[in-house]
Each structure stands twice: as C-alpha cells, then as structure tokens.
Amino acid sequence: MLYRGGICLDLNSAFGEAIKRKRNSLGYSQETLALLCNLDRTYIGLLERGKRNPSLKSIFTLSHHLNTTPSILIKEVEVILSKSRGNKGNV
C-alpha cells in the first residue's frame, strides 16, 4: 500500500502519481495528454487519482505520449511505492 500524509493509498494511486509527475514534467495539461492519447480528460484525472485501472493498451499509449516506455513508467511506480512504504508494510 502507498501512504501519503498518513493516508493509505493503493497501487492505482501510485500509477496515477507517476503519470501526473511525468505529465507535469512535460508541461502538459490533463486535456493535452488526453487529446494526444485519444482519451477523455476525465479519464486522465481519474487515473491520476487512482480511481481507474488502466488497461495494458492505455499504459502503452500513455507511455508513448509521455516520451517514455511502459517499463520505465512501471519502474517509477515501484520507486513511488518504495519511498512511501517505509515501515508501513508490503505492496
């Protein structure tokens, strides 16, 4: 589980955080990323908040338009989880 500010979050939240960080680093709005990926802007927001499970197709599409690879994106999720996990338990 992911903990942020004492609140327990899940794997989807860590994926959303990775997407948001990468999107922000490129200066993209949610709307811009959604248009590039041919996805709805609200879907991007839901992903970033950990409210949706991305499909494999979505992971590959998002990665491509975020100028990264799926494996690097997933590695970022692992980094986020390991930094936030501390002594709170396993993923």
Side-chain angles (χ1 to χ4, degrees):
M1 292 294 199
L2 173 67
Y3 289 81
R4 186 185 314 143
I7 299 171
C8 179
L9 303 172
D10 62 13
L11 185 60
N12 286 346
S13 295
F15 180 79
E17 183 68 24
I19 292 292
K20 184 175 183 177
R21 287 180 185 182
K22 186 64 175 165
R23 176 181 61 77
N24 286 333
S25 76
L26 294 171
Y28 291 167
S29 66
Q30 288 181 351
E31 185 172 4
T32 298
L33 181 58
L35 289 170
L36 289 170
C37 296
N38 197 30
L39 297 169
D40 194 271
R41 183 201 51 80
T42 58
Y43 180 69
I44 300 296
L46 291 168
L47 282 175
E48 289 185 359
R49 291 191 311 277
K51 302 294 185 187
R52 291 289 180 266
N53 288 316
S55 68
L56 189 56
K57 181 179 179 182
S58 292
I59 292 170
F60 272 75
T61 301
L62 287 162
S63 297
H64 173 76
H65 292 289
L66 291 170
N67 301 326
T68 191
T69 65
S71 59
I72 291 172
L73 191 59
I74 297 303
K75 183 63 178 172
E76 179 63 20
V77 172
E78 292 176 332
V79 169
I80 291 167
L81 287 171
S82 68
K83 286 181 178 178
S84 65
R85 186 172 53 205
N87 292 324
K88 305 285 184 182
N90 293 330
V91 175

